[in-house]
Amino acid sequence: MTQASNVYQAFAGNSYLFGGNAPYVEEMYENYLANPGSVPDTWREYFDALQHVPAVDGSQAKDVPHMPVINAFAERAKMGGTRVVMASADAEMGKKRTAVQQLIAAYRNLGVRWADLDPLKRTERENIPELDPAFYGFSDADQEAIFDTSNTFFGKDSMSLRELLNALRETYCGSIGAEFNYITNQDHKRWWQQKLESIRSKPTFNTEKKKHILERLTAAEGLERFLHTKYVGQKRFSLEGGESFIASMDELINEAGIKGIQEIVIGMAHRGRLNVLVNSMGKMPKDLFAEFDHTAPEDLPSGDVKYHQGFSSDVTTPGGPVHLSLAFNPSHLEIVNPVVEGSVRSRMDRRNDPHGKQVLPVLVHGDAAFAGQGVVMETLALAETRGYSTGGTVHIVINNQIGFTTSDPRDSRSTLYCTDIVKMIESPVLHVNGDDPEAVVLATQLALDFRLEFAKDVVVDIICFRKLGHNEQDTPSLTQPLMYKKIGQHPGTRKLYADKLATQGLGATLGDEMVKAYRAALDEGRNTEDFVLTNFKSKFAVDWAPYLGNKWTDAGDTSIPMAEWKRISQKITTIPTTVTPHQLVKKVLDDRAAMGRGEIPVDWGMGEHMAFASIVASGFPVRLSGEDCGRGTFTHRHAVVHDQNREKWDTGTYVPLQNVSESQAPFTVIDSILSEEAVLGFEYGYASNDPSTLVIWEAQFGDFANGAQVVIDQFIASGEVKWGRVNGLTLMLPHGYEGQGPEHSSARIERFMQLAADANMQIVQPTTASQIFHILRRQIVRNLRKPLIIFTPKSLLRNKDATSPISEFTKGSFQTIIPENKALKADKVKRLVVCTGKVYYDLSKKREELGQDDTAIIRVEQLYPFPHKAFSTELKKYPNVTEIVWTQDEPQNQGAWFYVQHYIHENMLDGQKLAYSGRAASASPAAGYSHLHQDQQKALVEGAFGKFKGFTFSK
């Protein structure tokens, strides 16, 4: 079919363009021909398409304005020619028919602005002219006029204007205000129109369903009031005013179970968290009360407050068992979002569920945080990407219309709604009045259906209020006197709904009976509903027992046999003949093939690749993500080979590490979006649910990790001591002082050393190819899951001195301390230089220049936990050492100095002195002036061999 006939059929299929509307359309078309910009966008699109339709004679001649021709005939008529009379009545009706279509579009777009959403009714309805029929020229006389409504889903092909207005207002201006018309996908838009208009946004629940909703509201309110009276003044971040949220969660869990979801991972901040634990997830009230009474077990080094705690349970639903997991969350509100998404993606991968049909992420937000926290945007930006998509997230906003003390919209945000951020990924939003729990439940049903149908994010914005202060010790009327005057007069959502059901004949005492029953259950420390499955265990559950109670000193065999070395090295350096690599990449592959054969020493890139290849060959998956990590920031990796002759943008890549063996585990490498916080949070979440996968996040430059500091502080460093959650995430942070300035030199070793305690992580700075090979393998081969922080090099990637022979891969292991590798006479050594990282090679070169044989140099490859035994062994090798110098590239107030000095001093012998040689303390991580960098580097290297300067430690 030709384009012309397609366009013609499209126009012919819209009846409002013909008949009585023709004069009006002709007038619009005249304006378009004179000036295309003078008509609305929708008309201009129609008329633009018409320009591609051939003329009646088959030519491609462009249309010309008709008015000059008409005016010419008019002039003739004045002189006695034929007169033409327009049908003015038809023209007027044509305009009205077009106006009806504009009115329908206006309500679909703007009806939310008139929706009845605020339980407190604090503001008057704003003036929206486009929602007033008079805006389009209609009067009362038009109310009974019949118009075509075949493009709606109200069940009638034609309706009177009055009927149509009632239908539009019921659908778009009731307790649910829908936003979806900004979505570009027409199927998605029509889906929402059909779902909402066919029922006019009104649920039709039976009596049992209504009673169940009331019971959930009673449970939500009952728990809060019980805690408020029993534990006066204790913080719990009450849900009162937003009880409909529990009805929403109940509907979401049960409907998800019916529709095939088997796992739900929930992330939320503290508001309403205790309510979710008890009333949605089945935590026994007596266990919660024990936490308030301080009688609950306290067996962690640190622990955390009760409203940060996570929880998991298996619950029964009409569709079968569903595993619920509430993620542990610090007070940093939205930071849990990417953690949840990563946990969900891990579960999806384990189930081979690429579209999220079995696992559902649910994120619960506060209105202020959703609009204000940058990690929200970063996490949303991951939603549609290949490496991070989770099949769509259901977002629920507990919108109590106040952020701590800020409720004035002139201060709280710069957008109309707190949910406007999701428009960046075209997610639909259902705003719903929290005082209409049936509407909340309906909105939740629709949101879940949309997510399952289209694998897209969707938002339910429950507009409610916060009965108490930010916490139970707060007095909100200090700053919100008007709001809290209205809240004080509000009877509560449960009471309103109970009264409503009473008027419907469901019993005047039903609500009171439920209140008494729930209170009685709480007095006994139990739930009113027993929906938790105590003896159920999914085949997809992870057994963490083998990874608990182990020590960092536990051995792990990280070498591989020579035969395996040769086999996999050949596999990862061979590419299909159909793939033409770039000449530079071909050179890398050829060199690596030679390394595999033992013809030349192994460099860093090959050592890393061999680690990955041997790991996946052993059945352990590898997941590597970060900015530019497929190629590597410094073009050292080339994990993805790009065919230089490819003809399509989405084809022509080859990943050698995915072709190591037929039975290998997956190797996944992802070039992430330009985000640190969300991506690192995602990978932490992924690793938290999969101890058998080596999960690595690589920073483009090490200091870029500071954009994800919250994840490092609140999860990676402290998650185990606060929550008992072990995690084997690996961070690769490029670090090295090569004169690249303040932002491209330091990975901030000092920050990680400051966070290091309780054997909570492993911090290493390997300096050879074999060391990176062994440390990566050690991380997965041992049954120890602790975060691993690797400060990776930049210049050493191509430094021949940092290469290793094959023998160091087929034998040996990771060395926490690399001893002096020069044949020195131990009894002649008077000074021991201790260092870490790249500076070792500068020191070694300087020693050769000086010809000194009384100075030994050792490398601390593992900074934490400090290898006391290995260090002491090296120190004792040199009985006549009296001077020890710690040398580092970093300024004195940075790097490892302030932390390792205590470890070194602990191992020193009587009479020995410890001094520092490095850059002076600095506010900046590194110098930006190249000559200054060179002068500083020269001075610190010379200082390692010269007279002691500054403060020294003595033993």
Side-chain angles (χ1 to χ4, degrees), residues 2-12 46 49-50 52-53:
T2 65
Q3 183 183 16
S5 57
N6 271 327
V7 173
Y8 178 79
Q9 287 193 2
F11 276 96
Y46 273 110
L50 276 178
H52 300 290
V53 179

Side-chain angles (χ1 to χ4, degrees), residues 477-749:
S477 58
L478 292 173
T479 52
Q480 264 63 40
L482 179 60
M483 172 183 269
Y484 275 84
K485 190 175 295 182
K486 287 183 175 290
I487 290 173
Q489 298 166 354
H490 195 287
T493 303
R494 185 208 63 81
K495 180 68 165 62
L496 290 175
Y497 190 57
D499 291 347
K500 177 182 177 180
L501 296 190
T503 63
Q504 294 177 1
L506 271 66
T509 62
L510 177 64
D512 292 338
E513 291 169 358
M514 287 185 177
V515 169
K516 291 178 182 177
Y518 190 77
R519 175 61 192 239
L522 289 183
D523 285 335
E524 297 174 10
R526 60 178 178 83
N527 284 308
T528 53
E529 292 190 1
D530 184 16
F531 51 83
V532 176
L533 300 170
T534 54
N535 296 317
F536 175 80
K537 185 175 182 180
S538 168
K539 66 178 181 180
F540 295 104
V542 177
D543 182 11
W544 285 88
Y547 306 99
L548 303 178
N550 301 316
K551 298 179 180 179
W552 78 264
T553 52
D554 292 346
D557 185 3
T558 58
S559 61
I560 61 174
M562 179 62 76
E564 180 68 355
W565 171 276
K566 290 185 175 181
R567 185 189 72 81
I568 62 178
S569 65
Q570 190 271 334
K571 285 285 187 180
I572 65 172
T573 56
T574 303
I575 62 174
T577 56
T578 54
V579 176
T580 303
H582 191 282
Q583 285 301 309
L584 294 178
V585 176
K586 184 178 185 304
K587 174 68 165 56
V588 169
L589 292 172
D590 291 343
D591 287 347
R592 287 180 180 174
M595 295 173 195
R597 295 189 296 268
E599 296 170 5
I600 56 176
V602 179
D603 67 10
W604 187 281
M606 181 60 168
E608 183 190 84
H609 252 63
M610 289 298 291
F612 294 150
S614 61
I615 288 169
V616 296
S618 300
F620 297 103
V622 173
R623 176 184 169 92
L624 169 63
S625 83
E627 297 155 19
D628 305 319
C629 69
R631 183 199 70 171
T633 299
F634 311 103
T635 66
H636 79 284
R637 180 170 295 128
H638 300 294
V640 181
V641 179
H642 294 267
D643 184 2
Q644 298 300 299
N645 295 328
R646 69 184 181 198
E647 297 179 354
K648 294 183 178 180
W649 65 271
D650 57 349
T651 61
T653 59
Y654 180 77
V655 181
L657 287 165
Q658 293 175 351
N659 296 273
V660 176
S661 66
E662 291 184 1
S663 60
Q664 73 168 80
F667 174 82
T668 304
V669 58
I670 305 155
D671 288 334
S672 76
I673 67 170
L674 199 65
S675 157
E676 284 80 36
E677 187 173 31
V679 174
L680 180 56
F682 188 101
E683 300 305 341
Y684 175 88
Y686 194 105
S688 72
N689 200 254
D690 190 354
S692 64
T693 295
L694 177 61
V695 183
I696 304 172
W697 176 73
E698 182 177 56
Q700 191 178 56
F701 284 88
D703 57 341
F704 290 2
N706 59 19
Q709 198 64 45
V710 175
V711 180
I712 296 167
D713 291 349
Q714 302 299 329
F715 291 94
I716 294 172
S718 58
E720 185 175 357
V721 297
K722 291 191 299 186
W723 309 318
R725 312 308 290 176
V726 298
N727 192 296
L729 177 65
T730 296
L731 275 62
M732 296 176 74
L733 309 177
H735 174 90
Y737 281 65
E738 284 104 359
Q740 295 188 50
E743 276 72 60
H744 299 91
S745 298
S746 176
R748 293 291 194 170
I749 291 175

Side-chain angles (χ1 to χ4, degrees), residues 901-953:
Q901 61 182 237
H902 305 290
Y903 301 139
I904 295 173
H905 188 266
E906 183 180 334
N907 289 282
M908 285 165 51
L909 304 176
D910 290 343
Q912 293 179 334
K913 291 183 178 181
L914 171 63
Y916 166 82
S917 180
R919 287 175 167 82
S922 170
S924 172
Y929 303 121
S930 59
H931 68 276
L932 179 58
H933 161 78
Q934 293 166 5
D935 291 345
Q936 291 175 342
Q937 194 72 18
K938 182 174 180 290
L940 72 88
V941 170
E942 290 176 348
F945 301 96
K947 291 183 179 180
F948 280 4
K949 294 180 181 180
F951 182 79
T952 60
F953 292 87

Side-chain angles (χ1 to χ4, degrees), residues 285-304:
K286 65 179 181 180
D287 295 335
L288 176 64
F289 302 157
E291 294 174 15
F292 277 96
D293 293 328
H294 305 292
T295 58
E298 297 181 350
D299 50 4
L300 293 172
S302 171
D304 204 348

